[in-house]
């Protein structure tokens, strides 16, 4: 449960930062948002790989 909340917060916060950075022309916020989205993606990918290994 804790991992799901962390993933949702990272992806949601990252997307919000990306949109804010794009709309206000703030490059630093945009790049930080991209880093958070990439981190959330890596967490999702790690969980998917683990679930596929457990099923086989």
């Amino acid at each position: 449960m804790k991992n799901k909340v962390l993933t949702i917060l990272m992806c949601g916060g990252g997307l919000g930062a990306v949109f804010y950075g794009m709309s206000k022309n703030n490059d630093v916020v945009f790049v930080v948002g991209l880093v958070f989205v990439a981190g959330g993606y890596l967490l999702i990918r790690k969980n998917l790989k683990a679930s596929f290994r457990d099923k086989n």
Side-chain angles (χ1 to χ4, degrees), residues 17-37:
V18 166
F19 289 134
Y20 178 82
M22 287 174 57
S23 66
K24 300 294 182 185
N25 202 14
N26 190 338
D27 294 336
V28 175
V29 175
F30 177 76
V31 171
V32 169
L34 286 179
V35 169
F36 276 105
V37 170

Side-chain angles (χ1 to χ4, degrees), residues 1 3-5 7-8 12 14 16-17 19 21 25-27 30 34 38 40 42-49 56:
M1 180 69 179
N3 199 12
K4 288 182 183 181
V5 172
T7 304
I8 290 170
F19 289 134
N25 202 14
N26 190 338
D27 294 336
F30 177 76
L34 286 179
L42 291 174
L43 286 174
I44 292 169
R45 186 171 180 258
K46 182 178 83 171
N47 291 337
L48 282 174
K49 285 177 81 172
N56 290 332

